[in-house]
Amino acid sequence: MANPLFTDETLRFMFETWVRPDELLQWPVFGEHEREGFELHLQTVTRFARETLWPTFGELDREPPRFEGGRVFVHPRVHEVYPTMVELGAVAGERPFEVGGHQLPRAVATLASFPLMAANSSAVGFAYLTGGAAHLIESFGDEALRETFMRRMYEGQWTGTMALTEPQAGSALADLTTSARPLGEGRYAIRGSKIFISGGDQDFSENIVHLTLARVEGAPAGLRGVSLFAVPRLRPEGEKLVFNDVHTSQVIHKIGWKGLPSVALSYGEKDDCVGWLVGSEGRGLSYMFQMMNGARIFVGANGVATASAAYHESLAYARERRQGRPLGRREAGEGPVAIIEHPDVRRMLLRQKAIVEGGMALVLHAARLSDTAEHHADEKQRERAAGLLDLLTPVTKSFPAEWGFESNALAVQIHGGYGYTSEYPVEAYMREQKLNSIHEGTTGIQGLDLLGRKMVARGGADLRTLVEEMTGAASEARGHGLEEIAAALESARDQLVATSTALGARGMAGEVDAMMRHSDDYLRLVCIAVVAWMWTVMAAHSQRALA
Amino acid sequence: MANPLFTDETLRFMFETWVRPDELLQWPVFGEHEREGFELHLQTVTRFARETLWPTFGELDREPPRFEGGRVFVHPRVHEVYPTMVELGAVAGERPFEVGGHQLPRAVATLASFPLMAANSSAVGFAYLTGGAAHLIESFGDEALRETFMRRMYEGQWTGTMALTEPQAGSALADLTTSARPLGEGRYAIRGSKIFISGGDQDFSENIVHLTLARVEGAPAGLRGVSLFAVPRLRPEGEKLVFNDVHTSQVIHKIGWKGLPSVALSYGEKDDCVGWLVGSEGRGLSYMFQMMNGARIFVGANGVATASAAYHESLAYARERRQGRPLGRREAGEGPVAIIEHPDVRRMLLRQKAIVEGGMALVLHAARLSDTAEHHADEKQRERAAGLLDLLTPVTKSFPAEWGFESNALAVQIHGGYGYTSEYPVEAYMREQKLNSIHEGTTGIQGLDLLGRKMVARGGADLRTLVEEMTGAASEARGHGLEEIAAALESARDQLVATSTALGARGMAGEVDAMMRHSDDYLRLVCIAVVAWMWTVMAAHSQRALA
């Protein structure tokens, strides 16, 4: 039986509990949609993910892209599936009608992203990266850039990448040295090197637009000197596309996501590389960070999706594989039982389920906050949601990545010796998952962001919002007779408050090191408390639905 | 700089603290040894591991064995290094002089195994498996079997394997169906299939002896009907070796330990496979379990070794790689610092170190208990050590496997995006480590063994011994002014006692399921408490040495 990736019941439950479509449909921006349209969209995407995309996973993993004659050639399946992914909104699902998008709520688009990512992270990676890159141009580029680049990217004709990292700088973007020399009319001569550029080269689209951070000559040192450029592989000159001096210098041998090549790029080796400034000079990093927050939610979604695919593999295996006998039935002469009957196997399956569905709720809640922050009629509601989303972003990125890796390791464990072979797909999901704790800001960086910025932002207002939400969820749970769950959540909330206060006091006293040294533990504490809150809400909703 | 695998200081500290050679040298069995001999042995082995064995690790990982014409051909490096490993005691280091061994204390042999395993688990795997298989014959076989098989195995001329698992039975050995038909004179016709046989085929030794569990025709069902046989690939007939109808039917594509082939074997396809009974009929499982306990300690050693190799990779990387600036030095115009200066990188390195050295202490302590249990003059001491070793065996197997996997994932994390590539060795160590939670009894099985058998064995006497040891270590630490550490250990001890009592009470009340459902949590609790005890002992020893 094929892997369902997510069951229909789970998708439906999450749709009702976290997307809450009826409220969204009352907002003018989504006025042209209907509940049935959302449902049909989710069904269509899920069927494509299960029937077309998932069967390509093993192929892309086993036959990575070839690097020949300076170009990267990806698996033929990518050529086949890319147009359908564009059609299904993987590039522009949540973008407005006016730029060629489907104008879906982000919560709906995110729910639809789960089965796609569970089916094949590498293949959908091309689409989501293109969407993110085009969105940068949509938000900050002028009309000419939107017409030349964004429209073709949203339509699926061209693809896009995010080109931040340089070999010598890694995550320290202040140290990047790629340079931009003004040529007039918003055009700059780009020169430098980038590394770890996902989708940085491939052969299935006509062109690739690299959204590239570089430093205009004479710009100040550090982060304030960084600007954003659209640097296509081929640049439009009249009716033609000519080579823009962007070379693929290396393909990195990643241990997962093998279908999506990660490459090193070299710009302007012959001094003939043109980049178009996006927005204003010196604002590159702030633009990028607006996108980065969305990208971090998507990494969270990927963590959940990868964990879910592996969970369903191990669930099916545990139901089929017969081995051993439960305690007390050893001498009864009975045949071996399906291993799902062994308590420790059930424990591992339940832990995976708790991680997958807890993470799924967290990611959807973040996406829904993003909808509220952007489209709610009430400004206070918009601000409150934006603040809470800011606070939850590092959590939403990290919980699925870190606990998802544990979950994927458990899927291997349930398969026993067979899980340790490449004959079963679970080891591949474990490899896939590891990337999520590294890309778009490592878990360490998420911890610094949470404790050093988000916790103290706006005088702690966002943290107070979180505490209010947890308190509300606990009392709602209590109202449904879930006393034990409510008390546990309140205790987690109190620990969160006490720890935040104690660490904050160190910061106020100028002992910044003594505060920040605990950033990882703090991140883990908040992850657990927040996912407990998610489960409490789900428990209360279930009680209400049953009643 | 080459990976040291373990620093000389660490090896020396562990030698003094846990091996305690001066006491061992007073026992008659080790009377022919000297302290300097032990030290020289450790130095020789460590040099070979660093200079000869470690450089082969990447080669064996990248070029796994070929399966051609029904035979397995391993990497040429294995042919080169095997004789030296035999010479250095990897096969028979701890066996008595009279059978061709070096008669080393197990604690010394185990300490020597760390650098070998850290250098290349696959290559040394051939040697340790051969040693274990030959030891079975030494312990339970008659003089003819010892002469024919054991001696050649200890000498390195032949190798050996452990052939337990069958495709349909997995860990449920009661269900194995390989059959043995008596041919007279201790010889049996063997027929059946085995799977996951490590080192089950290769081309570097003249012959391979499979220590195989099978069921004599007419034997009772279940575990009591299982006997042990020595089944060589080639059987001696007069002066010749003739093919013994043992076929390699499949090579399994493991995701790590790639240099050591894991194969499926088919016995007696032409009804011409002869096995020699080892010991008595129906005792196979009890023989195997005596060896299994030793094998589990060795899995623990491997977990520590694999984690240590990765730890040293990430330590060296963190010292070399310059990226970013610590808090408070961002605007000072200073260049990037080595990432070891970032608190979160230090946290990850320290966590690895705590796991590696805590696990190392645990494994060495177990090996030392085994020496005491076998050779101490005082029977009471022997019994006490044997009981505590029994209790600690599942812990010694599981802590390095489970926490070692966390440690190896941290080594990848410290390397950032580079860690996620096959250009750096850390991802390979992460793959290697995963096997240790699966082979020789999964972590789930260790939990059942600890809670269901070991905790309640001998009326709880072994658990009381553990509690006494922890109490003694805490008061010794207190004597050296380590009040905080002592109190923390006492608190862990009290939690261990309370949890054991509570779970035991459920068992006594007949609620076996309600007890055993917690086997994994119990195992984790005991792991943490025991490693805390190890660190407390090491802290006290350090204080004494400093004073």
Side-chain angles (χ1 to χ4, degrees):
Chain A
M1 209 186 59
N3 189 322
L5 309 174
F6 291 87
T7 65
D8 291 337
E9 290 89 331
T10 303
L11 292 170
R12 249 195 320 267
F13 179 80
M14 295 291 170
F15 182 60
E16 300 300 341
T17 308
W18 296 108
V19 176
R20 300 192 307 282
D22 299 333
E23 189 189 334
L24 288 171
L25 289 166
Q26 286 165 24
W27 299 354
V29 61
F30 304 126
E32 293 186 34
H33 287 292
E34 291 177 351
R35 172 182 259 276
E36 291 69 29
F38 291 160
E39 287 171 355
L40 187 64
H41 176 65
L42 291 169
Q43 285 161 18
T44 310
V45 167
T46 304
R47 193 176 327 119
F48 169 75
R50 288 175 185 158
E51 294 174 11
T52 306
L53 207 50
W54 183 73
T56 68
F57 173 67
E59 292 178 271
L60 265 64
D61 185 58
R62 283 188 298 273
E63 302 157 39
R66 291 171 295 116
F67 183 41
E68 283 173 20
R71 286 304 307 275
V72 175
F73 300 87
V74 299
H75 198 285
R77 294 286 184 212
V78 179
H79 297 242
E80 288 170 32
V81 297
Y82 194 75
T84 313
M85 294 193 297
V86 175
E87 217 173 279
L88 291 175
V91 174
E94 63 191 57
R95 304 318 314 143
F97 294 130
E98 64 180 60
V99 299
H102 302 192
Q103 203 156 321
L104 289 171
R106 180 163 281 181
V108 173
T110 302
L111 185 55
S113 78
F114 284 118
L116 292 175
M117 287 177 169
N120 196 328
S121 298
S122 293
V124 298
F126 289 106
Y128 287 118
L129 285 164
T130 299
H135 192 182
L136 275 173
I137 301 176
E138 181 195 331
S139 302
F140 308 109
D142 59 23
E143 200 42 47
L145 287 185
R146 289 159 62 114
E147 202 51 46
T148 312
F149 297 115
M150 177 201 78
R151 201 164 282 280
R152 290 189 173 87
M153 293 159 80
Y154 280 154
E155 284 168 1
Q157 192 180 347
W158 293 0
T159 61
T161 76
M162 307 284 218
L164 287 73
T165 306
E166 298 183 6
Q168 82 293 346
S171 303
L173 297 175
D175 290 325
L176 56 84
T177 60
T178 295
S179 67
R181 194 179 75 246
L183 300 171
E185 300 177 346
R187 298 161 75 248
Y188 293 71
I190 308 293
R191 192 161 207 162
S193 301
K194 297 285 176 180
I195 197 166
F196 296 126
I197 309 308
S198 293
D201 196 5
Q202 40 78 6
D203 60 323
F204 70 82
S205 77
E206 185 185 47
N207 200 6
I208 307 169
V209 184
H210 306 291
L211 275 287
T212 303
L213 291 181
R215 203 177 280 287
V216 176
E217 286 181 4
L223 297 174
R224 286 159 307 163
V226 173
S227 304
L228 179 66
F229 300 87
V231 188
R233 204 184 84 77
L234 306 176
R235 66 173 181 257
E237 288 195 354
E239 293 300 296
K240 285 192 305 182
L241 290 173
V242 304
F243 183 60
N244 192 37
D245 201 15
V246 179
H247 303 265
T248 304
S249 53
Q250 186 195 348
V251 173
I252 295 145
H253 298 99
K254 294 200 307 300
I255 61 170
W257 296 62
K258 290 189 182 179
L260 177 66
S262 179
V263 309
L265 292 178
S266 167
Y267 299 76
E269 289 181 2
K270 299 185 176 135
D271 203 19
D272 187 30
C273 175
V274 178
W276 278 261
L277 180 68
V278 178
S280 316
E281 281 189 14
R283 302 288 307 279
L285 220 75
S286 73
Y287 298 157
M288 202 53 108
F289 263 89
Q290 288 186 45
M291 292 306 102
M292 187 68 93
N293 284 331
R296 285 176 177 172
I297 306 295
F298 268 78
V299 171
N302 190 277
V304 167
T306 304
S308 186
Y311 165 62
H312 283 290
E313 288 295 327
S314 57
L315 180 61
Y317 184 83
R319 284 174 172 155
E320 270 167 33
R321 171 72 175 170
R322 302 182 77 80
Q323 189 185 309
R325 287 154 193 79
L327 278 174
R329 280 158 63 185
R330 293 225 168 122
E331 302 302 325
E334 287 184 55
V337 299
I339 62 170
I340 196 171
E341 293 202 35
H342 297 308
D344 196 59
V345 172
R346 296 179 92 88
R347 176 190 66 79
M348 292 191 275
L349 288 167
L350 285 168
R351 180 132 181 111
Q352 286 183 74
K353 189 177 161 71
I355 292 167
V356 168
E357 296 179 14
M360 195 174 183
L362 173 59
V363 169
L364 284 172
H365 185 58
R368 187 62 165 74
L369 285 171
S370 164
D371 286 320
T372 304
E374 203 170 341
H375 300 297
H376 201 284
D378 178 358
E379 195 191 332
K380 282 245 168 61
Q381 289 296 315
R382 288 202 303 275
E383 272 177 19
R384 190 176 192 275
L388 186 54
L389 174 61
D390 257 10
L391 180 71
L392 290 181
T393 296
V395 178
T396 308
K397 199 266 179 189
S398 303
F399 175 83
E402 293 288 335
W403 275 263
F405 187 64
E406 178 194 332
S407 184
N408 284 52
L410 288 174
V412 170
Q413 192 71 19
I414 287 173
H415 283 70
Y418 294 99
Y420 198 69
T421 72
S422 47
E423 276 83 11
Y424 286 78
V426 279
E427 65 86 19
Y429 290 122
M430 190 172 74
R431 285 186 277 113
E432 298 270 304
Q433 186 69 277
K434 195 80 218 81
L435 187 59
N436 289 324
S437 65
I438 297 171
H439 63 176
E440 308 295 348
T442 62
T443 302
I445 285 174
Q446 303 305 318
L448 297 178
D449 182 43
L450 179 66
L451 182 58
R453 289 197 204 104
K454 303 301 176 62
M455 185 192 87
V456 294
R458 288 180 276 271
D462 304 330
L463 189 64
R464 282 193 297 277
T465 304
L466 173 62
V467 168
E468 278 167 32
E469 293 279 333
M470 291 173 79
T471 303
S475 72
E476 198 188 335
R478 188 167 281 119
H480 288 96
L482 302 168
E483 175 56 38
E484 211 175 330
I485 290 175
L489 182 63
E490 285 163 349
S491 148
R493 175 203 61 192
D494 294 346
Q495 239 185 305
L496 172 59
V497 170
T499 310
S500 304
T501 307
L503 291 174
R506 291 188 185 178
M508 299 287 276
E511 295 165 14
V512 178
D513 274 355
M515 172 190 182
M516 295 309 294
R517 199 180 292 140
H518 299 281
S519 58
D520 186 80
D521 282 335
Y522 185 71
L523 174 63
R524 280 166 206 276
L525 169 66
V526 179
C527 279
I528 292 170
V530 164
V531 173
W533 161 37
M534 297 289 104
W535 271 109
T536 304
V537 170
M538 292 194 282
H541 281 220
S542 301
Q543 287 296 314
R544 194 165 52 215
L546 287 170
Chain B
M1 210 185 60
N3 190 321
L5 308 173
F6 290 88
T7 65
D8 291 337
E9 291 89 330
T10 303
L11 292 169
R12 249 195 320 267
F13 178 80
M14 295 290 170
F15 182 61
E16 299 300 341
T17 308
W18 297 108
V19 176
R20 300 190 309 279
D22 299 332
E23 189 189 335
L24 289 171
L25 289 166
Q26 287 165 23
W27 300 353
V29 60
F30 304 126
E32 293 187 35
H33 287 292
E34 293 177 350
R35 172 182 258 275
E36 292 69 29
F38 291 160
E39 287 171 354
L40 188 62
H41 176 64
L42 292 168
Q43 284 161 20
T44 311
V45 168
T46 304
R47 195 177 324 118
F48 168 75
R50 289 174 185 159
E51 294 173 11
T52 305
L53 207 51
W54 183 73
T56 68
F57 173 66
E59 291 179 89
L60 265 65
D61 185 58
R62 282 187 299 273
E63 301 157 39
R66 291 173 294 116
F67 183 41
E68 283 173 20
R71 285 306 306 275
V72 174
F73 300 86
V74 298
H75 199 285
R77 295 285 182 210
V78 179
H79 297 243
E80 289 170 32
V81 297
Y82 194 76
T84 314
M85 293 192 299
V86 174
E87 217 173 276
L88 290 175
V91 174
E94 63 190 57
R95 305 314 317 142
F97 295 129
E98 65 181 60
V99 299
H102 302 192
Q103 204 157 320
L104 288 171
R106 180 163 283 182
V108 173
T110 301
L111 185 55
S113 77
F114 284 118
L116 292 175
M117 288 177 169
N120 196 328
S121 298
S122 293
V124 298
F126 289 106
Y128 287 118
L129 284 164
T130 299
H135 192 183
L136 275 173
I137 302 176
E138 180 194 332
S139 303
F140 308 110
D142 61 23
E143 199 43 45
L145 286 185
R146 289 159 62 112
E147 201 51 46
T148 312
F149 297 114
M150 176 201 77
R151 202 165 280 279
R152 289 188 174 87
M153 292 161 80
Y154 280 154
E155 284 168 0
Q157 192 180 347
W158 294 358
T159 61
T161 77
M162 307 287 218
L164 288 71
T165 306
E166 298 183 5
Q168 81 293 348
S171 303
L173 297 175
D175 290 324
L176 56 84
T177 60
T178 295
S179 69
R181 195 179 73 246
L183 299 172
E185 300 178 347
R187 298 161 75 249
Y188 293 71
I190 308 294
R191 192 163 208 161
S193 301
K194 296 285 177 182
I195 196 165
F196 297 125
I197 309 308
S198 294
D201 195 5
Q202 40 78 5
D203 60 323
F204 70 83
S205 77
E206 185 185 48
N207 201 3
I208 308 168
V209 184
H210 306 291
L211 275 288
T212 303
L213 292 181
R215 203 177 282 287
V216 175
E217 286 182 3
L223 298 174
R224 287 159 306 164
V226 173
S227 304
L228 179 66
F229 300 87
V231 187
R233 204 184 83 77
L234 305 176
R235 66 173 182 258
E237 286 195 355
E239 294 300 297
K240 285 193 304 183
L241 289 173
V242 304
F243 182 61
N244 192 36
D245 201 16
V246 178
H247 303 264
T248 305
S249 52
Q250 185 195 349
V251 173
I252 294 145
H253 298 99
K254 293 202 305 304
I255 60 168
W257 296 62
K258 290 190 183 178
L260 177 67
S262 178
V263 309
L265 292 177
S266 167
Y267 299 77
E269 288 181 4
K270 298 184 177 137
D271 202 20
D272 187 29
C273 176
V274 178
W276 279 260
L277 180 69
V278 178
S280 315
E281 281 188 15
R283 301 290 307 279
L285 220 76
S286 74
Y287 299 157
M288 203 51 108
F289 264 88
Q290 288 185 46
M291 292 304 103
M292 187 69 91
N293 283 331
R296 286 176 176 172
I297 306 295
F298 267 78
V299 171
N302 190 278
V304 167
T306 304
S308 186
Y311 165 61
H312 283 290
E313 288 294 327
S314 57
L315 181 61
Y317 183 83
R319 283 173 170 155
E320 270 168 33
R321 169 73 175 170
R322 304 182 77 79
Q323 189 186 310
R325 288 154 191 78
L327 278 174
R329 280 158 65 184
R330 293 227 168 123
E331 303 302 326
E334 288 183 53
V337 300
I339 61 170
I340 197 171
E341 293 203 35
H342 298 307
D344 196 60
V345 172
R346 296 178 92 88
R347 175 190 66 80
M348 292 191 274
L349 288 167
L350 284 167
R351 179 131 183 114
Q352 287 183 75
K353 189 177 161 70
I355 291 168
V356 168
E357 295 178 15
M360 196 173 183
L362 173 60
V363 169
L364 284 171
H365 185 59
R368 187 61 166 76
L369 284 171
S370 165
D371 285 319
T372 305
E374 202 169 343
H375 301 298
H376 201 284
D378 178 358
E379 195 191 332
K380 282 246 169 60
Q381 288 297 314
R382 288 203 303 275
E383 273 177 18
R384 189 176 193 275
L388 186 55
L389 174 60
D390 257 10
L391 180 71
L392 290 181
T393 295
V395 178
T396 309
K397 199 266 181 188
S398 302
F399 175 83
E402 294 288 337
W403 275 262
F405 187 64
E406 178 194 331
S407 184
N408 284 52
L410 288 175
V412 170
Q413 192 71 19
I414 288 173
H415 282 70
Y418 295 99
Y420 197 69
T421 72
S422 48
E423 276 82 12
Y424 286 78
V426 279
E427 66 84 20
Y429 291 121
M430 190 171 75
R431 284 186 278 113
E432 299 269 304
Q433 185 70 277
K434 194 78 220 84
L435 187 60
N436 288 324
S437 66
I438 297 171
H439 63 177
E440 307 296 347
T442 62
T443 302
I445 286 175
Q446 303 305 317
L448 296 178
D449 182 44
L450 179 67
L451 181 58
R453 290 199 204 102
K454 303 300 176 63
M455 186 193 86
V456 295
R458 288 179 274 273
D462 303 330
L463 189 65
R464 283 193 297 277
T465 305
L466 173 61
V467 167
E468 277 167 32
E469 293 280 333
M470 290 173 79
T471 302
S475 73
E476 200 189 335
R478 188 167 280 119
H480 287 95
L482 302 168
E483 175 56 38
E484 209 175 330
I485 290 176
L489 182 63
E490 284 163 351
S491 148
R493 175 204 61 193
D494 294 345
Q495 238 184 305
L496 172 59
V497 171
T499 309
S500 304
T501 307
L503 290 175
R506 291 188 185 179
M508 298 289 275
E511 296 164 15
V512 178
D513 274 353
M515 171 189 184
M516 295 309 293
R517 198 180 295 141
H518 299 280
S519 58
D520 185 80
D521 282 335
Y522 186 71
L523 174 63
R524 278 165 208 276
L525 170 67
V526 180
C527 278
I528 292 169
V530 164
V531 173
W533 161 38
M534 297 289 103
W535 273 109
T536 304
V537 170
M538 291 195 281
H541 280 219
S542 301
Q543 288 296 315
R544 194 166 51 218
L546 288 170

